[in-house]
């Protein structure tokens, strides 16, 4: 799909083909373009709205066949709520909602009139750029394996033109957002791919493509990890015929020599549970047990694409967790890179084993300003928070606050969960330094507590995205499937707090 920005001509409204999109505000108030349309059609727009279940509120949209006098096929009014409360997030949501409607009516082209009333809080260039961002994010589809789908069955938006006087300014402001979208689409792609296509080696290859964007990418193979002593990560991988990988990505957009920010991702390309095998029902979901890694890879791409003024590190641990003659057994003791020994009481608690070595490696080598890990770590976080918020665990209040704030700003909401010595005690092992599961409940907290044992003095946060990495329902900007949850929020936190310093 092509999204472009154009300056309006005198006859643009009358001549636009496809669907005309125009804004309306709370109380059925028509925006400037809708008013002009109404004039062109002898009041047809106001008449259509009058008895419709459409009040112009945020999140609403209302489509009707274009009245006589227009070249368009449909008019789509999008509700923006109160003009004085209009912000970038509302513009993005409106763009996403419009894209959803256009797909539903199988439209192929649309012209969006982005003029806003004088009372609007947001300036039109920002409105247009963020509207375009929302529309673009919603337009994502992963349909490469649907070979029999007839073209008529697929939504095929070919082109969206956004019309406003400040078109060139809007285009400029859209550019970095388009960069972030590229990262998001990469994440959604790798998370959606089936597990016979994406495994450690192939996911590492995808990460390697970031070289083109100016990211330095290193891939460590099994002998290299053995040499480093990554017994925890390698123990998980040993039951699979697919060899493990550790990918290290560096984006150096900041001042030379300033400490980087660091992101670590759990990349279990398929989690059968290992010998502590999972039930078969729903096991296919475990292809997206690499969503943390996928999000870190996409985030690095986003930072590079928008040329973020920051030094950033991405480290992802890639393994497949399989049962096999060579698989790790419940009861095995492994030695992590940190030197701590771990009794593996349950081979299905594997993500933390992978992260333990990936995090240790990252902080030892890069001495980052902070470290944030993303992981589809526990089913228990879904019990606690469902699919609307990810769990946030942190040893640093300021970092936690910044993350929460960025989460609210981007709609990727976090809920802070506790850490504490009481929970840490639940991880005691009879024969090793620590066990990989806790007894006595609070499964998400003990998992985080386990991770904390592999964190030194660095500010650290853990995002448990097991409930948010995949969605069974469309929402305004995220079609069902892989969400890339966490990417926008981390990009936002970097932009708000760590650039140019
Ligand atoms: N990948 C799973 C967690 C998960 C579950 C993610 C459901 C998404 C949806 C993780 O590796 C796991 O199996 N965790 C276990 C831990 C338990 C054995 C202590 C769990 O949550 O059951
Ligand atoms: Mn598991
Ligand atoms: Zn897992």
């Amino acid at each position: 799909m092509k999204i472009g920005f154009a300056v309006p001509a005198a006859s643009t409204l009358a001549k636009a083909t496809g669907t005309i999109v125009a804004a309306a505000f709370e109380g059925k108030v028509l925006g400037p373009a809708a008013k002009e349309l109404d004039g062109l059609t002898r009041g047809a727009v106001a008449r259509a709205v009058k008895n419709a279940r459409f009040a112009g509120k945020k999140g609403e949209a209302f489509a009707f066949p274009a009245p006589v006098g227009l070249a368009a096929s449909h008019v789509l009014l999008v509700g923006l709520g109160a003009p004085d409360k209009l912000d970038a997030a509302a513009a993005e949501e409106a763009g996403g909602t419009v894209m959803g409607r256009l797909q539903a009516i199988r439209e192929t082209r649309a012209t969006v009139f982005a003029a806003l009333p004088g009372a609007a809080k947001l300036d039109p260039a920002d409105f247009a750029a963020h509207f375009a961002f929302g529309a673009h994010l919603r337009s994502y589809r992963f349909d490469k394996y649907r070979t029999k789908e007839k073209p008529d069955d697929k939504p095929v938006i070919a082109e969206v033109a956004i019309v406003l006087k400040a078109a060139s300014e809007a285009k400029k402001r859209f550019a970095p957002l388009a960069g972030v979208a590229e990262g998001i689409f990469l994440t959604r792609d790798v998370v959606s791919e089936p597990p016979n296509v994406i495994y450690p080696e192939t996911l590492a290859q995808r990460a390697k493509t970031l070289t083109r964007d100016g990211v330095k990418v290193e891939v460590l193979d099994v002998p290299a990890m053995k040499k480093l002593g990554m017994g925890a990560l390698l123990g998980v991988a040993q039951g699979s015929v697919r060899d493990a990988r550790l990918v290290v990505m560096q984006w150096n957009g900041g001042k030379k020599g300033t400490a980087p920010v660091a992101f670590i991702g759990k990349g279990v390309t398929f989690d059968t549970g290992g010998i502590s095998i999972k039930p078969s029902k729903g096991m296919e979901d475990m292809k997206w047990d690499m969503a943390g890694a996928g999000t870190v890879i996409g985030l690095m791409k986003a930072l590079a694409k928008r040329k973020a003024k920051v030094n950033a590190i991405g480290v992802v641990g890639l393994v497949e967790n399989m049962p096999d003659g060579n698989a790790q057994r419940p009861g095995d003791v492994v030695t992590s890179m940190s030197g701590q020994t771990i009794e593996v009481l349950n081979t299905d608690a594997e993500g933390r084993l992978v992260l333990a070595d990936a995090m240790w490696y990252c902080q030892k080598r890069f001495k980052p300003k902070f470290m944030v890990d993303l992981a589809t770590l526990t089913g228990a976080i879904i019990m606690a928070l469902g699919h609307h918020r990810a769990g946030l665990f942190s040893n640093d209040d300021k970092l936690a606050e910044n993350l929460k704030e960025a989460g609210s700003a981007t709609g990727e909401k976090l809920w802070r969960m506790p850490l504490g010595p009481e929970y840490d005690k639940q991880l005691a092992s009879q024969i090793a330094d620590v066990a990989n599961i806790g007894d006595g409940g609070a499964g998400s907290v003990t998992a985080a507590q386990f991770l904390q044992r592999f964190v030194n003095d660095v500010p650290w946060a853990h995002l448990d995205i097991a409930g948010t990495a995949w969605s069974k329902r469309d929402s305004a900007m995220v079609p069902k499937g892989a969400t890339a949850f966490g990417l926008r929020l981390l990009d936002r936190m970097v932009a708000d707090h760590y650039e140019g310093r």
Side-chain angles (χ1 to χ4, degrees):
M1 184 202 44
K2 250 175 58 191
I3 291 193
F5 301 91
V7 178
S11 54
T12 312
L13 257 182
K15 285 193 181 151
T17 57
T19 292
I20 291 178
V21 179
F25 294 88
E26 223 162 80
K28 297 185 188 260
V29 177
L30 302 182
K35 248 186 229 152
E36 201 182 327
L37 263 182
D38 195 54
L40 277 176
T41 59
R42 294 201 238 150
V45 177
R47 274 198 303 282
V49 169
K50 189 159 177 256
N51 295 310
R53 273 203 349 220
F54 172 77
K57 284 193 195 139
K58 239 167 75 171
E60 285 184 343
F62 172 50
F64 53 96
V68 195
L70 303 174
S73 62
H74 287 84
V75 173
L76 175 56
L77 295 179
V78 60
L80 297 179
D84 59 333
K85 290 204 185 100
L86 184 62
D87 57 10
E92 287 168 4
E93 190 186 340
T97 301
V98 163
M99 181 54 65
R101 284 303 179 95
L102 292 172
Q103 286 178 335
I105 63 175
R106 297 287 184 271
E107 183 54 277
T108 57
R109 61 184 57 250
T111 308
V112 180
F113 291 86
L116 294 171
K121 205 183 96 187
L122 201 62
D123 84 86
D126 273 332
F127 174 75
H130 285 278
F131 183 97
F133 185 46
H136 185 47
L137 290 181
R138 178 62 182 275
S139 76
Y140 177 82
R141 281 174 60 85
F142 187 80
D143 53 14
K144 65 194 273 200
Y145 298 112
R146 299 173 73 104
T147 65
K148 297 241 168 93
E149 204 168 39
K150 290 185 232 88
D152 287 356
D153 296 339
K154 287 191 188 184
V156 277
I157 317 279
E159 197 177 347
V160 175
I162 302 183
V163 173
L164 76 164
K165 286 199 190 105
S168 71
E169 186 58 31
K171 195 175 163 189
K172 222 162 70 194
R173 295 187 198 176
F174 178 60
L177 299 172
V180 174
E182 277 195 60
I184 291 171
F185 284 13
L186 172 60
T187 300
R188 290 181 184 170
D189 279 348
V190 296
V191 174
S192 304
E193 285 284 3
N196 60 329
V197 172
I198 283 291
Y199 46 91
E201 191 186 340
T202 53
L203 186 49
Q205 280 164 5
R206 299 272 182 127
K208 197 92 204 181
T209 64
L210 266 58
T211 311
R212 281 185 246 144
D213 305 310
V215 177
K216 192 173 153 203
V217 184
E218 295 160 74
V219 178
L220 277 62
D221 60 7
V222 172
M225 286 186 273
K226 267 200 186 124
K227 221 164 149 186
L228 288 161
M230 294 189 171
L233 185 154
L234 290 169
V236 177
Q238 77 189 30
S240 171
V241 297
R242 315 282 202 194
D243 275 344
R245 294 285 185 274
L246 188 90
V247 180
V248 183
M249 295 160 280
Q250 300 183 52
W251 166 249
N252 293 315
K255 277 205 204 85
K256 219 181 147 176
T258 53
V261 299
F263 306 99
I264 324 293
K266 167 180 172 181
V268 178
T269 61
F270 196 73
D271 181 13
T272 63
I275 296 299
S276 314
I277 198 161
K278 288 181 182 293
S280 50
K281 189 176 181 308
M283 202 199 271
E284 67 279 5
D285 282 352
M286 287 300 106
K287 77 168 182 182
W288 49 263
D289 208 19
M290 38 58 70
T295 303
V296 169
I297 295 168
L299 173 64
M300 295 304 289
K301 183 169 183 108
L303 294 174
K305 278 283 168 191
R306 69 168 185 81
K307 299 209 166 6
K309 292 190 182 58
V310 69
N311 295 334
I313 305 293
V315 177
V316 296
L318 311 180
V319 301
E320 187 180 52
N321 189 20
M322 296 290 263
D324 172 79
N326 192 48
Q328 124 174 301
R329 291 146 293 257
D332 279 5
V333 173
V334 295
T335 303
S336 65
M337 185 183 173
S338 75
Q340 296 174 82
T341 57
I342 304 163
E343 187 181 14
V344 180
L345 292 177
N346 188 319
T347 64
D348 198 11
E350 84 298 339
R352 60 198 77 181
L353 297 168
V354 173
L355 287 171
D357 280 340
M359 294 200 309
W360 193 265
Y361 176 85
C362 178
Q363 63 192 345
K364 198 173 158 201
R365 175 166 170 197
F366 295 107
K367 314 213 165 15
K369 275 200 183 107
F370 69 74
M371 198 161 65
V372 176
D373 77 79
L374 290 113
T376 47
L377 203 64
T378 65
I381 201 67
I382 308 176
M383 296 297 117
L385 303 176
H387 303 285
H388 307 298
R389 279 171 176 74
L392 159 66
F393 301 81
S394 183
N395 63 2
D396 186 283
D397 290 343
K398 185 74 196 142
L399 177 62
E401 213 32 62
N402 289 346
L403 285 164
K404 257 200 331 211
E405 216 176 76
S408 313
T410 55
E412 295 183 335
K413 287 180 271 187
L414 303 176
W415 190 260
R416 188 153 182 200
M417 303 281 288
L419 289 166
E422 324 84 289
Y423 298 106
D424 192 67
K425 281 204 188 97
Q426 292 178 230
L427 293 166
S429 159
Q430 269 195 36
I431 66 164
D433 298 334
V434 64
N436 79 327
I437 53 171
D439 66 340
S444 303
V445 185
T446 52
Q449 209 66 62
F450 179 92
L451 295 179
Q452 195 176 13
R453 295 226 184 179
F454 301 86
V455 174
N456 276 332
D457 291 331
V458 60
W460 155 78
H462 157 59
L463 307 184
D464 194 334
I465 57 170
T468 53
W470 190 271
S471 171
K472 292 204 163 112
R473 263 181 228 148
D474 289 336
S475 65
M477 279 167 286
V478 186
K480 65 170 176 263
T483 62
F485 182 101
L487 195 157
R488 289 193 61 197
L489 103 82
L490 292 173
D491 174 70
R492 176 68 177 251
M493 186 186 71
V494 167
D496 285 353
H497 297 284
Y498 294 94
E499 283 191 54
R501 282 169 213 206

